[in-house]
Amino acid sequence: MPASRRGSGSFTLTTGQTIAIHTRTQDEEDLPHATKKTMADHLRKYESLFTLTPQRMRMIVEAFTETLELGLNKPNQIVPMIPTYVFGWPTGQEKGDFLALDLGGTNLRVCLVTLQGDGKFEISQTKYRLTEEQKQDDGQKLFDFCAECLHTFVETNTGEGAGQLKPGQSLPLGFTFSYPCSQERIDHGELIRWTKGFGAGNTEGRDVAEMFKKSLEKYQLPIKLTALINDTTGTLIASHYVNPKTKIAVIFGTGCNAAYMENVKNITKIEHLGIDPGAEMAINCEWGAFDSFEHEHLPRTKYDTVVDDTSNKPGEQAFEKLISGRYLGEILRLVLCELIDEGVLFLGQNTYKLEKPYCFDTAFLSLMESDPTDELLMVIGIFTHFFALETTLAERQFFRALAKLIGRRAARLSACGIAAIVSKMNYLDEGCSVGADGSLYNKYPGFADRVHEGLQDIFGDKGRNIVTYHAEDGSGVGSAIIAAMTKHRKDAGLYLNV
Ligand code: GLC
C-alpha cells in the first residue's frame, strides 16, 4: 500500500468565494515529474530575476522621489500628485452621522458612520457585489447602481441616523471613488483614467461627482454629496483620527497607492489658486503610475511585460502591476506556464485549467506561503482542486518558493515608494507611522515584515523609525471624517480655500 496522507481546510478567495478543500497524497506516482535538482536549478534562475538588492532599491527611491517632486510642480504628470482639497488633519472631535459610499475595486460598500468625537466612531455597513459587466458597461449605469444601493441601504437602515431625518433634511455623503481623479475642489473630480481593470465607458475625462449627483437625483435621495475622496486620503485621515503619529497612508489591495500631508507652499502647480502657503493639504500620489510607459526604473521581468501587454491598459500603472493583489497571482501563473511550455512541469497532465489568464488568485500565494505542513497539503489542495494537477513535494516547494520571491519583491518595491515620501518629507530622523490597508497587507503572511526589512535595506538602522500598521477603514470612516471636516469648513465660509 502506498503511504497516503490527508489534509483539509477552508479559505476565502479575493472574489469572496469560500472554498473547503480535502486532500490526500499518494507517494507512488506514475506521471513523469521534474526532479528535485531541476526544480532547484529553475528556482535559482527566478531568484536572480525577482530579487532586489538594497543598492537597486536606493536607485529606485531616488528616481521615485524626483517623480513625486515633478508631480507637485507640474500639472498632468504621469504620477499626478493630486491635490485633494482636504486641508490638514482632523481634530478628533468631528461628530455626527455621515453616509459613506465606497467604490473600490471588488465591491461596492455603503456605510452609515456615526462619529462620536475623541477618535471614536460606530459604523454599520452593507456590501454589494460588482459584476465584471458593470465594470465595463456605461459609467452612468454604474453610478445609477451606486445610487440604487444607497437607496436600498437608506430604506433598510431606519434606525439611528438615516431614519431620524426631518423633512427637507439631507445626510452628508463622502464618496470614496478610488481611481485617479483630478480635483478642483473637494466635491469635484475628473477621472484621469480607469485603473484596476475597470473600463466603464463615457467616464474618463468626465466629472464623476457630477455624474453621481445625476444618479442621486434619479432616486430622489435625501443625500448631499459633500466630498469625493480617494481611499488613500480616507485612510490617511481615518488613521490620524485614531493615531496622530500617522503621516502616510498606503493601500495594498487590488491596486496600490499612497497619500500623505503636504505643505501647500510645496504644491507649486496650484500656486495660482492663492491658497495660504502655510496651510497643509493631503496629496493623493497615484503612485501606481510610477515608471509607466517609459519603464526606465523598475526591474520588469518578461512575465511583467506580458501582464502589462495583455492588460486593458498597456503601459499604464507600471508600479502597481508589480505589486498589487490584482497581478501577483497572474505573474506566478505566467512563470508556471513557461515551465509547462518548456516541458518541465506537469508532463502527461492536462494543464488547460491553469492556462486561463487570471485563474491563479493572489490568495493562493498567501495560502501557499502560510502552509504549515511538511507535505505542503494546502498546495496540493490548490493544485488538485482548482487545476486538476498532481504535484510532487519538490514541485510544491518550488511553487512556494516562487510565491515567496514574487511576494517579497512586491513588498520591497512598496518599501521604495514609502521611502521616497519619507525622504521627500524628511521624516526619517523623527520617524513616522504609516497606516496601511488592503488585502495584501492584511492577509499576505509576512508582507509587513518584508516592507520593514526593505526600509532598513534602504535607510540602514534608521529605517526602523518608519513603521507601518494596520490602518483604520479609510473608505468608510475616513470618508465620513472628511465629509465632517468639509461641512465644518463650509459652515465657516471656507469652502474652496483656506
Ligand atoms: C489604484 C487607483 C487608486 C487607488 C488604489 C488603491 O491605484 O488608481 O486611486 O487608491 O488603486 O485602491
Side-chain angles (χ1 to χ4, degrees), residues 141-383:
K141 277 198 200 161
L142 181 63
F143 293 122
D144 284 355
F145 177 68
C146 295
E148 192 188 320
C149 293
L150 258 172
H151 178 74
T152 317
F153 182 86
V154 172
E155 291 262 290
T156 39
N157 284 266
T158 49
E160 292 281 297
Q164 296 179 347
L165 285 182
K166 298 183 191 85
Q169 202 188 347
S170 62
L171 264 179
L173 169 86
F175 182 13
T176 309
F177 181 76
S178 302
Y179 305 88
C181 285
S182 73
Q183 296 191 275
E184 281 169 10
R185 40 179 208 282
I186 191 137
D187 52 2
H188 159 269
E190 224 169 77
L191 178 62
I192 301 174
R193 53 177 170 260
W194 283 117
T195 53
K196 300 181 275 197
F198 270 62
N202 303 317
T203 320
E204 287 183 339
R206 293 181 61 190
D207 179 1
V208 291
E210 238 358 273
M211 291 177 76
F212 179 60
K213 279 186 205 159
K214 223 166 130 186
S215 300
L216 283 181
E217 278 162 22
K218 279 189 201 163
Y219 286 87
Q220 297 186 326
L221 293 168
I223 291 169
K224 183 158 175 34
L225 174 63
T226 307
L228 181 80
I229 68 158
N230 186 262
D231 51 0
T232 52
T233 317
T235 304
L236 182 70
I237 297 299
S239 302
H240 196 278
Y241 187 73
V242 292
N243 173 4
K245 275 193 175 161
T246 310
K247 297 214 164 78
I248 300 171
V250 189
I251 300 289
F252 301 103
T254 311
C256 178
N257 186 19
Y260 72 103
M261 196 58 79
E262 183 57 275
N263 303 308
V264 167
K265 66 172 187 305
N266 295 334
I267 320 172
T268 53
K269 67 179 172 184
I270 56 164
E271 233 167 35
H272 60 280
L273 295 180
I275 301 172
D276 175 2
E280 289 182 306
M281 195 198 286
I283 295 289
N284 162 21
C285 302
E286 286 296 332
W287 78 12
F290 174 60
D291 208 29
S292 290
F293 306 109
E294 303 195 330
H295 307 303
E296 279 178 315
H297 304 294
L298 296 172
R300 293 204 312 163
T301 64
K302 58 180 161 179
Y303 319 101
D304 301 307
T305 313
V306 174
V307 166
D308 185 28
D309 290 347
T310 55
S311 72
N312 70 335
K313 300 272 182 173
E316 297 187 10
Q317 298 297 97
F319 187 56
E320 179 161 279
K321 282 173 179 156
L322 305 182
I323 296 177
S324 82
R326 182 171 166 79
Y327 305 101
L328 298 189
E330 180 63 1
I331 298 171
L332 187 135
R333 189 191 72 85
L334 288 167
V335 175
L336 297 188
C337 285
E338 176 180 75
L339 292 173
I340 293 171
D341 289 346
E342 288 175 2
V344 178
L345 284 178
F346 310 127
L347 273 178
Q349 301 193 61
N350 193 337
T351 52
Y352 77 100
K353 286 196 173 174
L354 194 58
E355 277 154 32
K356 190 169 158 246
Y358 288 92
C359 66
F360 207 90
D361 200 299
T362 298
F364 292 154
L365 276 70
S366 315
L367 288 163
M368 292 201 289
E369 280 215 50
S370 48
D371 190 337
T373 65
D374 290 343
E375 293 289 331
L376 298 181
L377 292 172
M378 180 58 88
V379 186
I380 297 181
I382 292 169
F383 278 85

